Structure formats: C-alpha cells, structure tokens
Amino acid sequence: MHVHSVVIIGSGFGGQCAAKALLDRGIDDLVILERRSFLGGTWRQNRYPGAAVDVQSPLYSIASEPFEWTRMFAEREELERYTDHVLESNGLPARTHSDTNVQRIEWSGDHWKITTSRGDYAAKFVVNASGPLSTPVVPPFPGRERFQGTQFHTNDWDTDFDHAGKRVAIIGSGASAAQVIPAIAPDVKHLHVFQRTPHWVMPRNDREFTPLQRRLLRVEPIRRLVRSAIYWSLETRIIGFKYSRRALKAVAQRAALKHLATQVPDADLRAQLTPDYLIGCKRVILSDTLYPSLGAPNVTLHDKNDGIAEITETGVVTTSGEHLDIDLLVWSTGYDATDGVISYPVIGRDGRALSDIWNPYPRAYLGTTVPGFPNLFIVTGPNTGIGHTSAIFLIEAQMEYIVRAVDAVRKAGAVAVEVTSAAEQDYTDRIHRDMEGTVWKDGGCHSWYQSRSGHVVAMFPGFSFTFRRWAKRFQPTAHTLHMAPTGAAAQDEVSA
C-alpha cells in the first residue's frame, strides 16, 4: 500500500493548484493520481480541431505562474505548453502516478483508503480534482451501437482519423461544437449539425500579441495590471446575470442579436439560430467564425424540428424521415457535470455514501467539503462554476480554504477536520436563496448548470471576489476537529 499525507486525484489545473498550494505550505508528502497515461487534464485530453480557451489567456492562468502568451485567447497547443510548464516548474511529474484510475475511496477512522486500478493508497487528506468536465455523456439514441462508420465524443477525438472529404454529423451545438464546426467545415464533403437548442453567440475579438506586447507582458507590474483590467471588465457581467435583466438585454443580448444579424444574412437560418431564452441562461459562445460556417453551402443545420429519430448502420434517420449517409458521427453532447461531479464511490464516516448525501442534488460547504466526510476537499465542487470569468480564479480561491483547513488540523495535532452539518446547511440555503432570480435559474432554459432535481448546482450566484473573501475566512465554529482517541475513550470531538 502507498501511504501519503495527501492524495490529489486529477492532474489538471485543479490538481496542479492544489499541489502548488500544499507544497508552498511545506507539505511535500503528496502524490497525484491520474487515470490517463498523460498529465494535464482538460487541455491535454481535449484534442478536437479548433479547441481553445474562451477566457482571455492573461487571466486564464495561475496567478503565480506567468507565461508568454502569443494571443489573447490561447489555442489548445499553447494551453498544453502552459500546462507542461506548470507541471515541470513545480516538479509535479515526479509526484504523479499515471494510468491510475481511482475506483473507490473510503474513510477508515483516521485516514482515507483509496482503491485504484494500480493498487491501494492511504492518505490523511484527499483532494478530489478530477474536474466537472471529465465524464462525457452520449445520449442513448436508438441504433447507435449498429453504426458501422466512425464515432467518438469530442472529449476523445481520434486524431488519426482523417475527416477530409467525409460526410460528418455533429450531434450538439454547444461550446465544443462551436469550435469544431469552423475548424472542419472547409475540409469535409458535407457537415450535418444537429442542434437541440441554439446558443447565444458573441464576437470573440481574438488577436495575436505583437512582439512588443509579449515583451511588456513579461514585466510583472504590467502583467498584473493587464490581469486586473481583464478581471474587472469580466466581473461586471454578474450585474446582468444576477441583478439586472434590463441591463442584460440592453447590453449583452442586444450585441448578440447584432452579431447574429451581421453574420447570418439568410432569414430562415437566422430564425433557427435565434434563442428563445435570456442570454447567459446557457453558456455564451464566443466566436467570429461559427455563424459563417453554418451558412456554408456544404453545411446543413438540423434544429429541434428535424432531430435524430434513429441511427442506422450507415447514417442517421431524421424525424422528418430523411436518411443521411454519414461516415463520421461526432458526439458533442457535453458532460455529467452536476450529478456526476465525482465519478467513483465515496464512503465517509459511518459508511455513508456521498451519492446518498447528494440525493437529490450535490451540495458542499464553499463547494469544497461535506459533513460526514472528514479531510476530503472537492475542487470545482457544487456551485463553484463561474459563467463570467476565469475558472482558475475560483480554483485558487478554494485553495485559500483548503490550506487553512489543513493548517487547523496540523496546528491542533488533530486527526481530521470536518465541516458541521449546520454550517453546510446554512451555506447551501444561502447559495440557493441567492440563486433565485439569476439568469441560470430563471432565464427560460434548461442547461447543464442544473441537476436532475432542477437545482442550479454548477454556478456560484455572485461575484467571484465574494467567494474568495469567504474562502479566506476559515470559520473555526463552522468546523469540528477530530482528535486522536486516548486510552479506551472513543474519538473525541472538540470545537476547532
């Protein structure tokens, strides 16, 4: 058995931030478990054509890890280089066990037992950083298993498959599809796009940095100033998402409608692409190339009135009765990012399963920790998503809480720290009370932000700096420290 102080599950940005924060605290007895054969998470796994970030690169990066970005919105290859840079500069490859799939974790009185495909581990603390966008979803369309052509999810793009000259169908029209479509449309024989619900699209306004700009971004005060300017320009969006429908319609939705009208001259296609819900209810797409690609002569858009009836050996039968011959099916159908935040069984104190606690919907104090599950921290857990700024900012905020919780255990010589049920309940009640009236809750759509119960569990309903302020203020009265038993006495619980 491998025994460590900390086991981190996942080597993406969440795992990297956790490892950095703990190493900076002098906790070096840690290991990262990565289920894949390579390190880096999302930006190493997603290799589909056109993959790129949708938050400006100077902000979509770890605050303490500067990088010489070549453009405003980094493409996947550059993000992969940045990921490698962070891993190597912090010595994380040597601390990572790859090809190690976590199958189950269970609290065993004073530590976690982690069962994996490569053997058992034991750790005092576990940080789950597997990420919300790691479990792809493929809808069970009739006949999918009979298809004789090639099919794969965007999360598992086959880079050896040559799509040039092929007849391709993309199922889904969200963020990944919006990047794939312009990237492959010029090369394929014909592209069929199956859209269940149109998305709002805003101009991307991407650009390459000049050599001078790149040099200036290496100057630390300038880098901080640029990050701050981008951060505050994005943070103002929450005003519309949460506080002002009028502002949201007058500014963002009006700009999106103008973008649509400018780029889609065909009235019928424009009608198919016009959402019937408030902008922001679903993820807003940034693209200057999606609309022109959908209007190309070799691209056909199938909306909800002409969806998929079944899949055959050679293609797709639409609900209008048309049979389409297809060589490649691309599933751009998203992830189980709400109810399936953690894909493996988690068993806490008294044999309680996290899946039971999270029925009917996932919940956690600061989106990070759950009563009954001592020393377990969930990166990008329930209600830590952010629709208007960098997800890394929220991850770094979670680290503020995690390191303080670990410090409390070490300072007291305790076995574990656990949030109280009352504190978690108060926090969860506040989050869902604040969610009422937001565009994610009442914007007129159903999105992956919502769990099956209808609760919005992917998003934080407020300013990101508010979450960071909360995370920095470790509340001793909201936690219990579990002390090691003495003699025949049972485990003693004392207020932190």
Side-chain angles (χ1 to χ4, degrees):
M1 178 179 290
H2 304 274
V3 180
H4 297 275
S5 180
V6 184
V7 162
I8 299 170
I9 301 169
S11 66
F13 281 140
Q16 294 166 34
C17 286
K20 280 176 55 62
L22 293 167
L23 289 170
D24 289 345
R25 271 304 204 271
I27 302 172
D28 57 5
D29 180 23
L30 61 84
V31 64
I32 301 173
L33 305 183
E34 172 55 58
R35 64 178 175 176
R36 301 185 178 96
S37 60
F38 52 85
L39 282 60
T42 295
W43 295 111
R44 292 294 300 272
Q45 172 66 22
N46 282 282
R47 308 184 70 85
Y48 61 81
V53 74
D54 56 7
V55 173
Q56 292 90 332
S57 306
L59 182 63
Y60 189 79
S61 48
I62 298 171
S64 60
E65 292 287 349
F67 192 68
E68 189 175 314
W69 298 105
T70 65
R71 61 185 316 114
M72 184 62 77
F73 293 89
E75 297 173 348
R76 192 202 64 79
E77 291 80 4
E78 188 165 21
L79 284 161
E80 182 176 329
R81 291 197 298 273
Y82 179 67
T83 297
D84 289 343
H85 159 73
V86 175
L87 290 165
E88 294 292 343
S89 64
N90 291 279
L92 301 186
R95 299 179 180 275
T96 303
H97 296 180
S98 58
D99 291 310
T100 306
N101 186 40
V102 174
Q103 299 167 332
R104 172 188 174 97
I105 70 172
E106 182 172 3
W107 181 249
S108 185
D110 60 357
H111 69 277
W112 285 96
K113 179 181 177 182
I114 301 101
T115 304
T116 82
S117 59
R118 298 281 295 273
D120 292 343
Y121 291 74
K124 188 170 185 175
F125 302 96
V126 168
V127 179
N128 174 83
S130 55
L133 304 182
S134 60
T135 306
V137 171
V138 177
F141 285 108
R144 182 171 64 88
E145 69 285 350
R146 300 200 311 262
F147 183 62
Q148 297 299 305
T150 301
Q151 60 176 312
F152 44 73
H153 195 279
T154 51
N155 185 68
D156 194 26
W157 192 278
D158 184 354
T159 56
D160 293 328
F161 182 85
D162 184 6
H163 58 265
K166 300 294 194 303
R167 298 162 299 185
V168 181
I170 293 183
I171 297 90
S173 59
S176 298
Q179 295 182 337
V180 171
I181 291 165
I184 70 171
D187 303 322
V188 303
K189 182 176 181 179
H190 200 92
L191 179 62
H192 295 274
V193 178
F194 286 89
Q195 168 194 276
R196 184 177 59 181
T197 308
H199 285 248
W200 288 104
V201 181
M202 295 284 282
R204 189 171 180 81
N205 297 322
D206 192 12
R207 66 177 182 273
E208 291 187 14
F209 292 134
T210 66
L212 175 60
Q213 289 170 333
R214 293 174 63 179
R215 287 197 297 272
L216 290 174
L217 285 171
R218 290 201 298 265
V219 179
E220 188 56 26
I222 294 177
R223 184 182 79 93
R224 288 199 301 268
L225 180 63
V226 170
R227 279 177 60 92
S228 180
I230 294 172
Y231 173 80
W232 288 110
S233 69
L234 298 180
E235 199 67 14
T236 57
R237 296 178 180 179
I238 198 66
I239 296 173
F241 289 161
K242 182 174 181 179
Y243 298 107
S244 176
R245 297 287 182 91
R246 181 177 297 179
L248 196 59
K249 290 181 178 179
V251 179
Q253 192 158 308
R254 185 176 181 181
L257 285 169
K258 181 180 178 181
H259 187 54
L260 174 62
T262 301
Q263 292 206 314
V264 184
D266 181 87
D268 292 337
L269 180 59
R270 193 163 61 246
Q272 286 181 288
L273 293 169
T274 302
D276 61 359
Y277 55 86
L278 193 59
I279 189 169
C281 185
K282 287 178 177 285
R283 184 173 175 179
V284 178
I285 291 169
L286 302 181
S287 179
D288 300 317
T289 56
L290 174 61
Y291 283 152
S293 297
L294 291 172
N298 69 327
V299 177
T300 301
L301 178 67
H302 302 264
D303 63 16
K304 63 181 180 181
N305 298 313
D306 189 30
I308 297 175
E310 67 171 318
I311 298 171
T312 69
E313 290 85 350
T314 59
V316 171
V317 177
T318 70
T319 53
S320 65
E322 182 181 8
H323 184 275
L324 308 174
D325 290 325
I326 300 296
D327 302 306
L328 168 65
L329 284 175
V330 177
W331 299 98
S332 185
T333 42
Y335 302 83
D336 189 359
T338 53
D339 296 284
V341 172
I342 298 179
S343 60
Y344 51 84
V346 179
I347 310 300
R349 280 196 303 111
D350 304 321
R352 303 172 72 191
L354 184 61
S355 58
D356 292 337
I357 303 298
W358 279 2
N359 182 18
Y361 62 94
R363 49 194 289 163
Y365 178 78
L366 290 174
T368 309
T369 190
V370 181
F373 297 82
N375 291 1
L376 173 65
F377 306 105
I378 306 163
V379 182
T380 59
N383 292 108
T384 59
I386 204 76
H388 63 280
T389 190
S390 170
I392 297 178
F393 184 88
L394 265 289
I395 290 172
E396 292 176 312
Q398 285 188 279
M399 297 307 132
E400 300 276 9
Y401 168 71
I402 291 172
V403 296
R404 284 167 173 77
V406 172
D407 282 349
V409 174
R410 298 171 74 198
K411 183 178 180 180
V415 169
V417 62
E418 181 181 342
V419 68
T420 66
S421 296
E424 185 273 321
Q425 185 68 60
D426 287 347
Y427 179 82
T428 297
D429 289 346
R430 177 174 185 171
I431 287 295
H432 290 288
R433 185 171 60 248
D434 288 351
M435 193 67 71
E436 295 297 326
T438 65
V439 67
W440 309 299
K441 178 69 173 179
D442 299 315
C445 77
H446 180 77
S447 73
W448 63 264
Y449 298 156
Q450 300 172 10
S451 71
R452 285 184 289 271
S453 68
H455 291 79
V456 178
V457 298
M459 309 303 285
F460 177 73
F463 292 103
S464 62
F465 60 78
T466 299
F467 182 87
R468 191 154 197 164
R469 185 177 70 248
W470 291 352
K472 278 187 172 183
R473 295 176 179 173
F474 182 81
Q475 302 285 346
T477 56
H479 299 79
T480 295
L481 287 182
H482 297 273
M483 307 303 293
T486 56
Q491 186 181 53
D492 181 34
E493 297 183 359
V494 288
S495 178

